[in-house]
Amino acid sequence: MAHSLEQNKFHLHYQPQVDIKTGALLGVETLIRWHHPRLGLISPAEFIPIAEQTGLIVPMGYWVLQQSCLQYQRWLSQGIPPFKLSVNLSLRQLQETNLISEIKNIVSQTKINCQQITLEVTESLMLCEPGETIHHLNQLNDMGIQIAIDDFGVGYSSLSYLKDLPLQTLKIDKSFLDDLLTREKNQVILQTIIELGHRLGLKIIAEGVESSEQLAVLKSMDCDYGQGYLFSRPLTDQDATALFRTSSFLDSRPLATV
Ligand code: C2E
Ligand code: CA
Ligand code: CA
């Protein structure tokens, strides 16, 4: 795997995040892909846990951030208006003592505007040493970088961390959207999470939106943003460029109908 990282066998896909009310594009989340020379395309669900165990996730995570920022700047230089760039940050990275200097290096090298970056961290971050974690998140916020809690609702059982962390966004895990239409209890939980998030001043993104029926429910619950196959699968940089040129946030046409 380390060899593949050196040899550029990894590449990035970008999945749109959409404003549920207007259909306009909020931004994209970067998702890593691995083309193994012999085994073909390997899912991140398979290799990320191994990269976490071996520690390779640390250089890999910085590579993803750096390449995403470079691509983002290419998009701006092609006349595409600014949008939000979300990148996953692993817990291993968050625990690195030189996290902030690494990220500052990437920012100054790529000259990206930090206000456009969101880092997504899973809620199991509270299992790490909270003092250091919060310190790192505060430093990222001070730079202008926003923080989203990923896979919200599945990992960590205490909600009290929500008041202690400098967060801007909750990403509701896809599992709450599965069975949304058939299980009333899922609707109650979803509505409650959205209200809780809003009362804490957070924006809410629903993950794994696959049907227009789910979208209608999310809209009725005042959910802010959605991400999922209904809007778009993760795209190559060329396909994302084509989408940016035709869609929505340039002229506010709903992305789903373009
Ligand atoms: P995640 O961060 O929760 O990313 C969302 C995953 O859901 C992506 O899977 C995406 O392709 C998938 N997805 C999006 N919309 C839908 C939908 O409507 N239906 C279904 N069934 N799936 C949908 P992917 O790309 O396979 O990534 C899996 C996980 O691997 C990610 O989950 C994330 O935890 C991790 N990952 C991916 N790239 C990176 C990275 O650069 N760094 C780190 N640390 N983790 C990464
Ligand atoms: Ca994510
Ligand atoms: Ca997720």
mmCIF file of all heavy atoms in Angstrom, residues 50 52 55 61 89 130 132 137 159 169 179 186 190 219 226-227 231:
data_model
loop_
_atom_site.group_PDB
_atom_site.id
_atom_site.type_symbol
_atom_site.label_atom_id
_atom_site.label_comp_id
_atom_site.label_asym_id
_atom_site.label_seq_id
_atom_site.Cartn_x
_atom_site.Cartn_y
_atom_site.Cartn_z
ATOM 1 N N ILE A 50 -7.087 -0.867 7.266
ATOM 2 C CA ILE A 50 -5.709 -1.386 7.298
ATOM 3 C C ILE A 50 -4.724 -0.215 7.379
ATOM 4 O O ILE A 50 -3.754 -0.248 8.139
ATOM 5 C CB ILE A 50 -5.431 -2.258 6.053
ATOM 6 C CG1 ILE A 50 -6.418 -3.433 6.028
ATOM 7 C CG2 ILE A 50 -3.987 -2.763 6.047
ATOM 8 C CD1 ILE A 50 -6.418 -4.220 4.737
ATOM 9 N N GLU A 52 -5.322 2.553 8.711
ATOM 10 C CA GLU A 52 -5.416 3.072 10.090
ATOM 11 C C GLU A 52 -4.498 2.261 11.011
ATOM 12 O O GLU A 52 -3.756 2.820 11.816
ATOM 13 C CB GLU A 52 -6.850 2.933 10.626
ATOM 14 C CG GLU A 52 -7.894 3.756 9.915
ATOM 15 C CD GLU A 52 -8.169 5.082 10.603
ATOM 16 O OE1 GLU A 52 -7.503 5.379 11.605
ATOM 17 O OE2 GLU A 52 -9.046 5.808 10.096
ATOM 18 N N GLY A 55 -0.810 2.849 10.289
ATOM 19 C CA GLY A 55 -0.342 4.229 10.429
ATOM 20 C C GLY A 55 -0.160 4.921 9.079
ATOM 21 O O GLY A 55 0.092 6.128 9.014
ATOM 22 N N GLY A 61 -3.578 10.545 4.392
ATOM 23 C CA GLY A 61 -4.538 11.620 4.667
ATOM 24 C C GLY A 61 -4.005 12.975 4.227
ATOM 25 O O GLY A 61 -4.737 13.785 3.655
ATOM 26 N N LEU A 89 -10.692 13.434 7.813
ATOM 27 C CA LEU A 89 -9.496 13.474 8.664
ATOM 28 C C LEU A 89 -9.581 12.290 9.619
ATOM 29 O O LEU A 89 -10.548 12.164 10.378
ATOM 30 C CB LEU A 89 -9.480 14.788 9.454
ATOM 31 C CG LEU A 89 -8.222 15.058 10.264
ATOM 32 C CD1 LEU A 89 -7.074 15.483 9.344
ATOM 33 C CD2 LEU A 89 -8.467 16.163 11.293
ATOM 34 N N PRO A 130 -9.303 13.812 25.136
ATOM 35 C CA PRO A 130 -10.133 14.943 24.715
ATOM 36 C C PRO A 130 -9.402 16.284 24.708
ATOM 37 O O PRO A 130 -9.609 17.086 23.798
ATOM 38 C CB PRO A 130 -11.272 14.968 25.736
ATOM 39 C CG PRO A 130 -11.099 13.791 26.609
ATOM 40 C CD PRO A 130 -9.798 13.140 26.317
ATOM 41 N N GLU A 132 -6.289 17.184 24.053
ATOM 42 C CA GLU A 132 -5.461 17.427 22.876
ATOM 43 C C GLU A 132 -6.323 17.541 21.614
ATOM 44 O O GLU A 132 -6.082 18.381 20.748
ATOM 45 C CB GLU A 132 -4.449 16.282 22.707
ATOM 46 C CG GLU A 132 -3.311 16.665 21.818
ATOM 47 C CD GLU A 132 -2.425 15.477 21.476
ATOM 48 O OE1 GLU A 132 -2.762 14.335 21.879
ATOM 49 O OE2 GLU A 132 -1.421 15.683 20.804
ATOM 50 N N LEU A 137 -8.691 20.844 17.279
ATOM 51 C CA LEU A 137 -9.874 21.321 16.560
ATOM 52 C C LEU A 137 -10.001 22.838 16.699
ATOM 53 O O LEU A 137 -10.347 23.528 15.729
ATOM 54 C CB LEU A 137 -11.143 20.618 17.066
ATOM 55 C CG LEU A 137 -11.209 19.103 16.808
ATOM 56 C CD1 LEU A 137 -12.513 18.523 17.348
ATOM 57 C CD2 LEU A 137 -11.072 18.762 15.321
ATOM 58 N N LEU A 159 -23.823 12.323 24.114
ATOM 59 C CA LEU A 159 -23.992 13.504 23.269
ATOM 60 C C LEU A 159 -23.309 14.728 23.864
ATOM 61 O O LEU A 159 -23.239 15.772 23.227
ATOM 62 C CB LEU A 159 -25.479 13.815 23.100
ATOM 63 C CG LEU A 159 -26.262 12.833 22.226
ATOM 64 C CD1 LEU A 159 -27.733 13.197 22.244
ATOM 65 C CD2 LEU A 159 -25.735 12.846 20.799
ATOM 66 N N THR A 169 -20.820 21.430 11.639
ATOM 67 C CA THR A 169 -21.721 20.588 10.847
ATOM 68 C C THR A 169 -21.852 19.188 11.446
ATOM 69 O O THR A 169 -20.879 18.636 11.946
ATOM 70 C CB THR A 169 -21.159 20.438 9.401
ATOM 71 O OG1 THR A 169 -20.912 21.735 8.877
ATOM 72 C CG2 THR A 169 -22.125 19.710 8.492
ATOM 73 N N ASP A 179 -34.609 2.673 5.644
ATOM 74 C CA ASP A 179 -35.894 2.426 6.339
ATOM 75 C C ASP A 179 -36.607 3.700 6.773
ATOM 76 O O ASP A 179 -37.555 3.635 7.552
ATOM 77 C CB ASP A 179 -35.717 1.574 7.623
ATOM 78 C CG ASP A 179 -34.945 0.314 7.380
ATOM 79 O OD1 ASP A 179 -35.045 -0.199 6.270
ATOM 80 O OD2 ASP A 179 -34.264 -0.152 8.298
ATOM 81 N N ASN A 186 -37.430 5.731 12.923
ATOM 82 C CA ASN A 186 -36.291 6.368 12.265
ATOM 83 C C ASN A 186 -36.585 7.828 11.955
ATOM 84 O O ASN A 186 -35.713 8.684 12.045
ATOM 85 C CB ASN A 186 -35.927 5.623 10.979
ATOM 86 C CG ASN A 186 -34.885 4.555 11.229
ATOM 87 O OD1 ASN A 186 -34.670 4.157 12.374
ATOM 88 N ND2 ASN A 186 -34.239 4.091 10.183
ATOM 89 N N LEU A 190 -34.445 10.954 13.329
ATOM 90 C CA LEU A 190 -33.878 11.900 12.373
ATOM 91 C C LEU A 190 -34.320 13.333 12.682
ATOM 92 O O LEU A 190 -33.510 14.257 12.748
ATOM 93 C CB LEU A 190 -34.337 11.499 10.970
ATOM 94 C CG LEU A 190 -33.622 12.153 9.811
ATOM 95 C CD1 LEU A 190 -32.156 11.770 9.797
ATOM 96 C CD2 LEU A 190 -34.260 11.714 8.495
ATOM 97 N N LYS A 219 -36.626 17.373 3.442
ATOM 98 C CA LYS A 219 -37.051 18.757 3.215
ATOM 99 C C LYS A 219 -38.093 19.147 4.258
ATOM 100 O O LYS A 219 -38.011 20.230 4.856
ATOM 101 C CB LYS A 219 -37.651 18.853 1.814
ATOM 102 C CG LYS A 219 -37.491 20.190 1.163
ATOM 103 C CD LYS A 219 -38.164 20.172 -0.207
ATOM 104 C CE LYS A 219 -37.188 20.530 -1.295
ATOM 105 N NZ LYS A 219 -37.749 20.409 -2.627
ATOM 106 N N GLY A 226 -27.856 17.600 1.591
ATOM 107 C CA GLY A 226 -27.876 16.157 1.351
ATOM 108 C C GLY A 226 -26.710 15.748 0.471
ATOM 109 O O GLY A 226 -26.153 16.553 -0.292
ATOM 110 N N GLN A 227 -26.355 14.473 0.610
ATOM 111 C CA GLN A 227 -25.275 13.893 -0.195
ATOM 112 C C GLN A 227 -25.716 12.470 -0.489
ATOM 113 O O GLN A 227 -26.166 11.770 0.418
ATOM 114 C CB GLN A 227 -23.981 13.898 0.641
ATOM 115 C CG GLN A 227 -22.754 13.396 -0.088
ATOM 116 C CD GLN A 227 -21.493 13.484 0.787
ATOM 117 O OE1 GLN A 227 -21.465 14.209 1.784
ATOM 118 N NE2 GLN A 227 -20.463 12.760 0.422
ATOM 119 N N PHE A 231 -28.428 12.630 -5.917
ATOM 120 C CA PHE A 231 -27.837 13.841 -6.510
ATOM 121 C C PHE A 231 -26.710 13.452 -7.462
ATOM 122 O O PHE A 231 -26.675 13.876 -8.607
ATOM 123 C CB PHE A 231 -27.299 14.769 -5.421
ATOM 124 C CG PHE A 231 -28.323 15.111 -4.378
ATOM 125 C CD1 PHE A 231 -28.196 14.633 -3.085
ATOM 126 C CD2 PHE A 231 -29.421 15.898 -4.704
ATOM 127 C CE1 PHE A 231 -29.144 14.943 -2.122
ATOM 128 C CE2 PHE A 231 -30.375 16.209 -3.750
ATOM 129 C CZ PHE A 231 -30.238 15.727 -2.449
#
